[in-house]
Amino acid sequence: MGSCHELATNVGLLLVFASGCLLRWNWLAVACSLVPLVLLGCILPMPESPRWLLAKGRRNEARDVLRWLRGSSADIASELADMELNIQLSGSKLKLRELKHPAICKHMGIIGGLMFFQQFSGYGVIPEYMVEIFESSGANGWDPYVQTAIVGAFGVLANLLSALVVDRAGRRVMLVISACIMVLSMSGLGSFFTLKHLSYDLTFQSWVPLVCLISYNSGVALGYGPIPFYLSSELFPLRARGLAGGLAISLVWVFMFITALAFPHMIQAVNHFGVYWIMTGFSLLGIVFVLSAVPETKGRSLEEIERHFND
């Protein structure tokens, strides 16, 4: 289930990339604007979650919703009792001043660090500017929109692979593998643009940008894309998960805004090759961060994880 967010993101990117091969940008924007309307139409008839209704003291409504979800013949009594017990164990609502507690503060630092290296290694900005990257490379006669769609397709496949192996391999292993692929990909792209800047003839290396971006996008989808979101739900104590998890995830959008805003200015300042070497450096630092700060949660219960940070 933790893979669904990243898988949906990659499928959405693939659909937009593929549509970009057929539609002008203005019609593509119109098509994309219809999707939230469809989503709104699907959300409006949905009931509130049983857990939220229980937390608000609306037990009868929670029971009715749970019976609707599970089916009229399902035995929901034990599940309803478990939800009520979890709500009692979670205690009162977390206050902002409690975020400085070590069991929460450490988690915030870890998730925030992962989100930082995720975004400053190019996770958000590379897909946004991928067509421009292909056009700037001038490497082959392929349509840059077609190449972008190919990159998106490999990202979906890599995300499916990650979902299959992450619980067996472990979070740290997948993060390190992901970051290593990102380092190799960005350094390859940086080398290509460095040689291009030095006026080398790269006719026989025209495949390099496509291969580098395929491997980069696939590497991100294997680990650094989905796993920070897994950990945001695994590391925080139950009562802190809503507030602290929301604050940590909001950092993604802050960092994404910064990188998207800075990318064109950075290209003007240090050229394409400089930007990709900088992203290579952040990917390397991301490996160091994972090895030094990120705990392995594979096979550990939420209680064991919480005790680990309280020790």
Side-chain angles (χ1 to χ4, degrees), residues 280-300:
T280 300
F282 278 118
S283 298
L284 281 170
L285 291 174
I287 297 174
V288 176
F289 180 78
V290 170
L291 293 176
S292 61
V294 179
E296 180 55 73
T297 60
K298 181 187 74 171
R300 301 172 71 177

Side-chain angles (χ1 to χ4, degrees), residues 250-270:
S250 68
L251 290 174
V252 174
W253 303 107
V254 173
F255 295 144
M256 188 179 292
F257 173 78
I258 293 171
T259 54
L261 185 66
F263 187 80
H265 300 290
M266 290 293 292
I267 287 178
Q268 291 181 359
V270 296

Side-chain angles (χ1 to χ4, degrees), residues 61-292:
E61 293 179 59
R63 184 187 63 241
D64 293 341
V65 171
L66 192 60
R67 182 175 288 115
W68 175 77
L69 287 169
R70 301 292 182 252
S72 57
S73 60
D75 181 13
I76 62 170
S78 60
E79 186 175 359
L80 198 64
D82 287 341
M83 287 184 184
E84 290 177 313
L85 178 61
N86 285 334
I87 291 172
Q88 292 173 3
L89 291 175
S90 65
S92 59
K93 189 175 179 180
L94 187 76
K95 297 179 175 59
L96 281 172
R97 65 174 179 269
E98 296 180 73
L99 291 176
K100 63 184 180 181
H101 189 279
I104 300 173
C105 190
K106 290 180 181 178
H107 297 154
M108 288 285 290
I110 290 170
I111 300 301
L114 287 173
M115 298 304 183
F116 174 84
F117 288 113
Q118 179 197 73
Q119 293 301 320
F120 281 81
S121 298
Y123 169 84
V125 74
I126 290 295
E128 293 175 9
Y129 288 93
M130 198 174 296
V131 170
E132 181 184 330
I133 293 171
F134 281 124
E135 290 175 342
S136 299
S137 71
N140 56 52
W142 284 25
D143 186 332
Y145 292 94
V146 172
Q147 294 185 84
T148 300
I150 293 172
V151 173
F154 276 91
V156 172
L157 294 176
N159 192 244
L160 289 171
L161 176 61
S162 174
L164 293 174
V165 303
V166 67
D167 285 328
R168 299 176 185 176
R171 278 60 165 157
R172 280 165 54 93
V173 170
M174 294 300 291
L175 282 169
V176 170
I177 291 174
S178 172
C180 287
I181 295 173
M182 292 158 64
V183 167
L184 293 174
S185 303
M186 281 293 104
S187 60
L189 197 62
S191 298
F192 179 89
F193 275 93
T194 300
L195 294 174
K196 181 176 182 295
H197 181 71
L198 296 174
S199 302
Y200 278 78
D201 182 6
L202 300 174
T203 304
F204 296 105
Q205 290 76 36
S206 60
W207 48 269
V208 170
L210 178 59
V211 171
C212 286
L213 288 173
I214 286 174
S215 62
Y216 173 82
N217 202 46
S218 301
V220 170
L222 281 175
Y224 247 102
I227 291 177
F229 296 99
Y230 296 172
L231 292 176
S232 69
S233 63
E234 293 176 338
L235 292 181
F236 290 117
L238 182 60
R239 65 187 296 264
R241 201 163 296 155
L243 177 59
L247 289 173
I249 297 301
S250 68
L251 290 174
V252 174
W253 303 107
V254 173
F255 295 144
M256 188 179 292
F257 173 78
I258 293 171
T259 54
L261 185 66
F263 187 80
H265 300 290
M266 290 293 292
I267 287 178
Q268 291 181 359
V270 296
N271 211 303
H272 275 274
F273 66 87
V275 173
Y276 306 136
W277 284 118
I278 290 171
M279 290 179 177
T280 300
F282 278 118
S283 298
L284 281 170
L285 291 174
I287 297 174
V288 176
F289 180 78
V290 170
L291 293 176
S292 61

